[in-house]
Amino acid sequence: MSAAQAPSPNRSGKQAQLAALAEALRPELHRYCARLMGSVIEGEDVVQDTFERAFAAVHAMDEATPLRPWLFRIAHNRALDLLRGRTIRMAEPIDAANDLADTANPDPMEMLMRQEAVKTAVSRFAELPIHQRSVVILKDVLGESLAEIAAVLDLTVDAVKGHLARGRARLREINAEPPGRPAPSPPPPSAALSRYVALFNQRDWDGLRALLADDVRLVQSAHPVRAGRADVGMFFTLYAKIDGVWLAPAWLEGREVIAVFDRRGDPEPGYIMWLEWRGGRISLIRDYRHIRYVTADARLQLMVSV
């Protein structure tokens, strides 16, 4: 069930509350999950899994259970499942989230620790043990209270304080390390991606539909998944009605992606697309138009075509 779908009249009170909370909480959950996973893209996968699991389970939960910590607990456990045996990709350092200052709590040490966490690369949180990582993200990136963190992670407040102190100390060490070699320039885009971008910018929608595999899927997070050439082909019909959108090949977290500009000539892309290919045909399109927060914590590297 999609988090974006409006609740039907026969939904329980908890289902309606969850539907109302889901969209408002998505960016905050993503900040947490992205740092747990060390990847903004994998963090969004966890967010999507979280809402799918939550909507499947909400009918069985106690009516007195508060939804916000319950959702964070689902996200936390799902991220732990995925982290087992997974190689963490390295991401770009971030300079986002400056708006996270806690004006209600202007303690200078707290502000300093928050700035330390915010300036740390998403991927480098993966160097902290999982409890330290979770506590630091919840406290210094999202501004949760110690009691709220204890409830989410099923820890005592004293345990939270200990993990927080050790995690903060490790982050200071990470940020004090001298910078390594600058990231290499991204390689030129693949022929397949270049062709997709060129056809899109030429508004050759039939040419794009010809690239779709018979069993292609379209994932747009807040919308139901489309499957099959005919249904996914409607994706291009919708874009045909939007003026000015311009694509460029890009690199993000070791992945070849597409930077999407709302207008050609805009200084920064608004969001990304990500394609998977099989046998020269597109097997999966992920379109992040409706969840632009995904790339707020990572810097895209635009590719230079050759």
Side-chain angles (χ1 to χ4, degrees), residues 195-258:
R195 177 165 174 74
Y196 180 94
V197 168
L199 289 172
F200 192 104
N201 289 341
Q202 294 163 9
R203 282 19 186 190
D204 185 349
W205 311 119
D206 288 338
L208 287 169
R209 292 186 185 95
L211 296 178
L212 300 176
D214 290 338
D215 58 351
V216 63
R217 293 187 304 127
L218 169 65
V219 177
Q220 294 178 292
S221 289
H223 295 275
V225 174
R226 292 179 180 267
R229 291 185 68 181
D231 200 16
V232 175
M234 294 297 295
F235 174 68
F236 302 116
T237 301
L238 295 174
Y239 266 104
K241 300 175 182 178
I242 304 173
D243 293 332
V245 175
W246 190 261
L247 307 189
W251 196 255
L252 175 63
E253 297 180 345
R255 306 169 194 257
E256 192 179 54
V257 299
I258 297 169

Side-chain angles (χ1 to χ4, degrees), residues 96-162:
N98 291 324
D99 57 337
L100 290 173
D102 185 1
T103 55
N105 180 21
D107 179 82
M109 183 56 69
E110 288 294 310
M111 295 300 295
L112 181 63
M113 292 302 98
R114 181 161 292 191
Q115 291 168 13
E116 195 81 35
V118 166
K119 75 180 183 181
T120 303
V122 168
S123 63
R124 301 216 64 181
F125 279 89
E127 299 177 33
L128 274 63
I130 189 63
H131 275 119
Q132 293 179 24
R133 193 187 319 173
S134 300
V135 169
V136 169
I137 298 166
L138 288 169
K139 183 69 175 73
D140 292 339
V141 177
L142 298 181
E144 302 288 334
S145 71
L146 296 177
E148 289 167 333
I149 296 169
V152 168
L153 301 180
D154 196 20
L155 298 171
T156 65
V157 171
D158 284 342
V160 169
K161 290 178 179 178

Side-chain angles (χ1 to χ4, degrees), residues 38-55:
S39 161
V40 296
I41 289 179
E42 290 174 3
E44 178 57 26
D45 291 342
V46 176
V47 171
Q48 186 68 14
D49 287 349
T50 295
F51 284 123
E52 289 175 359
R53 290 162 186 258
F55 274 105

Side-chain angles (χ1 to χ4, degrees), residues 256-277:
E256 192 179 54
V257 299
I258 297 169
V260 184
F261 294 82
D262 291 304
R263 297 282 178 181
R264 186 177 186 180
D266 283 355
E268 297 290 340
Y271 57 101
I272 62 169
M273 295 180 189
W274 175 31
L275 310 179
E276 290 184 9
W277 300 79

